[in-house]
Every structure is written in structure tokens, then in C-alpha cells.
Amino acid sequence: MRNIRIIVAYDGTDLAGYQKQPDDKGLTVQGCLEYGLSKICNEPIQIYGASRTDAGVHAKFQVCTFQTSGSIPVENIPRAMIAHIPKDIVVLEAVEIPLDWKPRWNIYGKEYVYTIHNQLIANPLTKRYHWHVKKPLNIDLMQAAGNELLGTHDFTTLKGTNSTPADPVKTIIGIHVEAEGSHVTISVVGDGFLYHMVRNIAGLLVDVGLGRRKVEDIKGYLAAKDRRVIGKTAPAQGLCLEEIFFTKERQQEVLQNKYSI
């Protein structure tokens, strides 16, 4: 029996999220990968992912593992999978790892990036990958609001409505808001995230950037532990799972280069 780790990228626009659904409504990343891997390994395969992205959310660096007794060389897996999964999903890399390596326990955090097109006129060429916000955003205020979220907190206020109960205490290590012309990104690094948490962070920071909410109220929103005190969840298409960190050193490298931490 071998334990194999794959790195996967996908355009989530036409997918029903990462996790396989019992009602079989729509294509999921997990379902497609298990189908393809079962074909090339000639046995039923079950995969385990590091992050359960929502419907419409994209990923540059999703991490999954599976065990197989099949003999296919790991270096052949990315190419072999092309014929068995939708073109929206690509296996970038496959490596054999120790049997006790698990994606939910052997990682050092995740980075998500939320992208906004901040201009009066929409951009049809990138609309699958951003949230179109027409009015000008105050980037300095958005960064100041993000700084208020840093550290370990109960993030109940930022969880998805009617989401599955989970430990709401998470640690956000870095938030960086950057604008290049009309292109605005909100990058977030944390040890873990609640359902819809990053999209709710994006929605909250945009409200601050538009002057609808104040930086000094952020701590009060967290203390309320009530999803109803903030606004709407930002659209799924702006969110991308950027990276999952296998080592503390890689996490620190990203934090120092982008977040100045």
C-alpha cells in the first residue's frame, strides 16, 4: 500500500465545490478526482483533502492524499489523469509520502487570496475570477480593518450562516490588502478557516473601504459573536486557495515577502 500526495488546481466556476455531495448534484473536485484515480489505479480510490472550498471558489494549490496498491508510477499520475477528469481540474504534481502523512494534520496553515475589480466599468475577460465593485475603495482603511482581525479570536461573527458547527477559534497570521490600478487583492494567511470565513472577511473589508463601516467597530463585531452584525458574504468567484504550507519555513517565507512579518 502506498500513500500518494497530489497538488491540484481548478477553476471552480462550474463546479459544485470540493466535497463530494450525497445527492450527486453537480460535479465536485473530490468526486472527479476519485473517479479518475480509480480508473488509472484499477481499484476504488478515496481521497482526503486539506481544504473544502465552496462552489465557485478556485484553487491554485489544493492538497489531497490517497492510498493505493496500484503500481502506476507517481510521475505518470498528472498526465494519466488528463483523460479522466474535466479540463477545469488539473493534477499538477504527485509524490509518494509516508503512510502516516495526513493533509489535515501535517500542514502549517493556508493562504487565500480574494480578488476585486474596482472600477465603474466591468471587465468581462476576468469576471469569473473577481468581484466587481464599482465605487472607489479606500485601501488604507481596508488594511487597517484587516489588522484588527490579526491574532487568535473567536470568529463566530465571520462564519457562514447555518454552517456546520466547528471550533470558531482560529488564528489569522497575516492580512495584506494591495491595489494595482483597478486590481485589488485581499490576501489572508491563517492556521484554519471557518465556512465562508474568508469571503466574509472580504465583504467586511470592502464595507470599510466604501465607508459603510468603521475600523474602530471591528473588535466589537468579533465580540458580538453574531453573523448578523456584518453585511453580505462576498461572491465566491473572487476567492482562490493560493497555497497550503507543508513547512513552517515556507509559511514564514511567504509572510516575510508579502506581508512584511
Side-chain angles (χ1 to χ4, degrees):
M1 186 65 68
R2 298 184 297 159
N3 195 24
I4 296 174
R5 182 177 69 206
I6 57 175
I7 296 174
V8 184
Y10 46 88
D11 179 334
T13 305
D14 299 320
L15 300 172
Y18 168 80
Q19 190 170 9
K20 189 165 55 177
Q21 303 297 323
D23 53 14
D24 202 29
K25 290 184 178 179
L27 293 175
T28 65
V29 178
Q30 182 183 12
C32 291
L33 289 174
E34 289 183 350
Y35 173 82
L37 290 168
S38 297
K39 286 288 187 181
I40 67 174
C41 295
N42 293 314
E43 63 180 349
I45 296 294
Q46 183 174 5
I47 66 169
Y48 300 90
S51 184
R52 298 176 181 177
T53 52
D54 306 330
V57 173
H58 317 291
K60 292 182 182 179
F61 199 101
Q62 172 69 279
V63 177
C64 306
T65 62
F66 66 95
Q67 294 190 356
T68 179
S69 58
S71 59
I72 182 171
V74 289
E75 62 270 19
N76 292 350
I77 290 175
R79 181 167 50 85
M81 285 288 283
I82 293 173
H84 300 290
I85 55 178
K87 292 182 179 180
D88 291 340
I89 307 172
V90 174
V91 177
L92 299 173
E93 176 186 301
V95 296
E96 192 166 343
I97 54 174
L99 286 172
D100 62 352
W101 200 97
K102 294 180 173 58
R104 287 185 173 265
W105 306 112
N106 294 98
I107 62 173
Y108 291 83
K110 307 170 187 177
E111 180 184 32
Y112 282 90
V113 174
Y114 195 93
T115 302
I116 297 163
H117 179 63
N118 188 210
Q119 197 171 47
L120 179 62
I121 306 300
N123 184 346
L125 300 181
T126 58
K127 65 181 181 180
R128 290 165 66 100
Y129 311 108
H130 68 238
W131 177 16
H132 180 210
V133 177
K134 298 178 181 180
K135 295 182 179 179
L137 291 167
N138 186 316
I139 303 303
D140 291 337
L141 286 179
M142 291 173 68
Q143 182 64 66
N147 293 343
E148 294 295 300
L149 299 175
L150 294 174
T152 302
H153 305 283
D154 183 322
F155 284 103
T156 297
T157 296
L158 291 168
K159 73 176 183 178
T161 304
N162 299 322
S163 59
T164 303
D167 183 359
V169 177
K170 306 293 180 186
T171 300
I172 294 182
I173 306 166
I175 293 185
H176 179 67
V177 184
E178 184 175 12
E180 287 189 27
S182 61
H183 185 80
V184 177
T185 55
I186 301 170
S187 304
V188 186
V189 171
D191 65 351
F193 298 94
L194 300 169
Y195 180 65
H196 282 179
M197 181 172 163
V198 180
R199 289 169 59 188
N200 283 328
I201 289 173
L204 179 57
L205 297 195
V206 164
D207 276 350
V208 172
L210 292 173
R212 296 172 180 168
R213 296 178 185 274
K214 297 179 179 179
V215 173
E216 53 266 32
D217 292 335
I218 299 294
K219 293 297 186 186
Y221 295 149
L222 291 180
K225 301 178 184 178
D226 185 348
R227 173 63 184 82
R228 294 171 296 180
V229 302
I230 62 172
K232 293 182 179 180
T233 302
Q237 75 269 13
L239 185 60
C240 182
L241 174 57
E242 192 77 7
E243 186 169 355
I244 293 172
F245 304 114
F246 296 148
T247 66
K248 194 71 173 177
E249 290 75 18
R250 174 56 186 162
Q251 183 193 71
Q252 287 302 311
E253 180 184 1
V254 169
L255 289 170
Q256 289 170 6
N257 290 340
K258 184 188 291 188
Y259 298 79
S260 300
I261 293 177

